[in-house]
């Protein structure tokens, strides 16, 4: 290993970083694609704190170098492509880039940008993130557009949190005989001892991920023919298709479905929109590495 | 006035009390219906505090006596019918009744009980409270049943808060071109400088009454033919009719619509359910006085 490193003395190191709210991932490689290493550290949410995010990002990059036999002294050779939530907020991104970064050069984009670029390396395509929340982004002709992504209170139709919340509301309606009870509403009410006031207590402090914990049950019951579960998913799928059709209208040649609910929704989409769905070519770290490669000097030796 | 009071020495005084979250109202009268007085004091929410509720209730009763030339010394002659939110929670109602009440006797029921009894003095009928929240109650043959009333997160379909929330969600969809913008979504977006992230910020701390502040706009725009406003109200009216039909199924001979949105929804109900709607005979204080009268000894002189 040390021989190959020696042979690359002076060569730039490309590093992709995906900085999320719970963890920061870094992947380092040589310009020709040869892997160096990967590392995962803690939160890199600049919305929660620029300094802590910086520290976890630097630690992740250094960890990836160390895995490949390099180290702290090589940070100054790194061309870093960073995807961070909050990077679209000018004040935050300026403060972050003004912080003391030890890298040769740094390119910063939104987390959704690197996810979309990783899925579609040629820069033409869209992603639909279908998880606890939902978000849609499209890249085409160098232009990056987001659709939705307003969170639990204002958007997130069809998200895991939305599904769980709708299911709980139906359970309360079933309790009051306002809708016909089904296996879904029976199962949900049983989890709250048959008492809607316990659902009320749960909802007072429930976070989106808490609501989302009921989403798998909705899919399970729908597959078993449950009328209420099917109704909830029919509405959710309509809302998701609205967004997917908008991505097509915005010029997306292909759409990749990401997130935990992606395979479950993929089966429910209409043939028309399914024709636009394609698996992602790579992940967000691949997108971050594409971003890092834009920092390479044109005349640098390969 | 003092002459008639002297003539009634020893007669019981009936007092109805409607104890709400923001104010406590009391109405006192003689057994033959002759008015004594009324008084309004502060919050009487036993869920927030039994002692403070007790103090405001006693002060309201005393204030009603004072208005009719009576006073503190007459509290011990009072037969008090009390309607309080939270009275259906055994622990709370026991603690409240165990507190040092200066009245001759006290009867306690839920706030919805006295509202329903006031609307239907013969004890057969239902009320639908259509305001910032929604709640439905029916009394028939001495049995009192509530339907819904689970609050903003779990129920309240068709409430002012629900209407405002749905309208804000549609505004975000219109911003992203996922639905066709209308006068309603344009007006809402304009209030947030055209920026859905400002709606997100608003919703982070919005209380039901904050969402409810947009409900009048939904009705206004629907009256002007706005497709999105009309769609929201169509869904809301369906949900409200579900509950009203349930009240009929539970035996309600008549249903009175109460709350700020009652007149607006009344126009939208189907002819079938409209046939069951009747104006309330009296208000919640009238219902509380009916409750107070149940405390009269059968052999008492008129």
């Amino acid at each position: 290993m040390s021989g190959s490193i020696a042979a690359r003395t002076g060569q730039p190191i490309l590093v992709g970083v995906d900085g999320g709210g719970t963890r920061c991932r870094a992947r380092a490689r040589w310009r020709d694609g040869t892997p160096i290493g990967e590392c995962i550290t803690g939160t890199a949410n600049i919305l929660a704190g620029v300094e802590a995010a910086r520290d976890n990002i630097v630690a992740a990059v250094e960890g990836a170098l160390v895995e490949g036999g390099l180290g702290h002294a090589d940070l100054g050779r790194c061309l870093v492509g960073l995807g961070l939530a909050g990077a679209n907020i000018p004040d935050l991104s300026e403060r972050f880039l003004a912080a003391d970064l030890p890298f040769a050069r740094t390119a910063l984009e939104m987390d959704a940008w690197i996810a979309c670029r990783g899925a579609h390396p040629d820069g033409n395509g869209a992603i639909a993130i279908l998880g606890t929340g939902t978000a849609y982004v499209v890249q085409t002709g160098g232009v990056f557009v987001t659709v939705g992504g307003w969170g639990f209170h204002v958007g997130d139709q069809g998200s895991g949190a939305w599904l769980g919340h709708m299911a709980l509301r139906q359970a309360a309606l079933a309790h009051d005989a306002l809708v016909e009870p089904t296996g879904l509403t029976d199962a949900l009410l049983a989890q709250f001892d048959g008492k809607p006031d316990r659902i009320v207590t749960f909802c007072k402090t429930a976070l989106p991920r808490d609501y989302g914990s009921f989403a798998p049950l909705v899919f399970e019951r729908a597959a078993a023919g449950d009328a209420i579960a099917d109704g909830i998913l029919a509405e959710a799928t309509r809302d998701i298709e609205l967004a997917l059709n908008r991505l097509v209208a915005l010029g997306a040649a292909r759409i990749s479905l990401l997130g935990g609910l992606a395979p479950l929704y993929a089966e429910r989409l209409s043939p028309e929109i399914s024709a636009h769905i394609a698996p992602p070519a790579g992940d967000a770290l691949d997108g971050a590495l594409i971003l890092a490669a834009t920092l390479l000097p044109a005349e640098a030796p390969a």
Side-chain angles (χ1 to χ4, degrees), chain A residues 82-154:
Chain A
L82 264 174
L84 297 181
N88 55 327
I89 302 169
D91 176 53
L92 268 183
S93 60
E94 281 160 24
R95 276 174 53 212
F96 176 79
L97 291 173
D100 185 31
L101 293 172
F103 314 130
R105 294 181 70 194
T106 304
L108 177 61
E109 291 285 355
M110 285 172 65
D111 50 350
W113 191 100
I114 60 167
C116 191
R117 197 57 183 266
H120 309 289
D122 67 357
N124 187 359
I127 56 170
I129 304 172
L130 308 175
T132 301
T134 62
Y136 305 89
V137 294
V138 54
Q139 277 194 323
T140 172
V143 179
F144 182 87
V145 178
T146 67
V147 174
W150 304 115
F152 180 68
H153 295 298
V154 183

Side-chain angles (χ1 to χ4, degrees), chain A residues 5-273:
Chain A
I5 289 173
R8 294 178 187 268
T9 301
Q11 276 195 23
I13 299 164
L14 297 174
V15 189
V17 178
D18 179 16
T22 54
R23 58 179 194 166
C24 176
R25 296 190 302 153
R27 184 180 294 162
R29 65 173 201 201
W30 297 109
R31 191 186 180 180
D32 63 9
T34 308
I36 296 172
E38 295 197 22
C39 183
I40 297 175
T41 58
T43 174
N45 184 352
I46 55 173
L47 297 128
V50 165
E51 291 306 314
R54 177 204 169 279
D55 292 347
N56 278 319
I57 287 163
V58 173
V61 173
E62 187 167 337
L65 297 180
V66 167
E67 202 192 34
L70 301 170
H72 185 81
D74 301 292
L75 287 172
R77 296 165 66 189
C78 292
L79 305 176
V80 178
L82 264 174
L84 297 181
N88 55 327
I89 302 169
D91 176 53
L92 268 183
S93 60
E94 281 160 24
R95 276 174 53 212
F96 176 79
L97 291 173
D100 185 31
L101 293 172
F103 314 130
R105 294 181 70 194
T106 304
L108 177 61
E109 291 285 355
M110 285 172 65
D111 50 350
W113 191 100
I114 60 167
C116 191
R117 197 57 183 266
H120 309 289
D122 67 357
N124 187 359
I127 56 170
I129 304 172
L130 308 175
T132 301
T134 62
Y136 305 89
V137 294
V138 54
Q139 277 194 323
T140 172
V143 179
F144 182 87
V145 178
T146 67
V147 174
W150 304 115
F152 180 68
H153 295 298
V154 183
D156 275 0
Q157 287 89 346
S159 68
W162 187 93
L163 293 174
H165 190 205
M166 289 301 114
L168 290 177
R169 294 180 73 95
Q170 291 292 317
L173 291 173
H175 172 273
D176 287 335
L178 296 179
V179 299
E180 196 73 39
T182 67
L184 175 66
T185 60
D186 287 347
L188 287 171
L189 278 169
Q191 292 193 42
F192 291 93
D193 302 320
K195 297 177 178 171
D197 59 286
R198 301 220 173 153
I199 302 179
V200 173
T201 302
F202 170 85
C203 292
K204 267 185 190 156
T205 58
L207 297 173
R209 64 168 175 264
D210 301 319
Y211 286 111
S213 68
F214 300 106
L217 184 65
V218 177
F219 279 100
E220 267 172 43
R221 294 291 172 166
D226 188 290
I228 287 179
D230 200 61
I232 292 171
L233 279 178
E235 184 177 348
T237 305
R238 272 195 304 275
D239 286 334
I240 288 169
E241 290 194 345
L242 266 185
L244 297 178
N245 280 313
R246 177 69 186 149
L247 297 176
V248 173
L250 286 168
R254 284 157 285 122
I255 304 172
S256 297
L257 306 182
L258 309 177
L261 301 181
L264 296 166
Y265 275 117
E267 308 175 352
R268 294 191 151 255
L269 297 178
S270 70
E272 290 73 26
I273 196 72

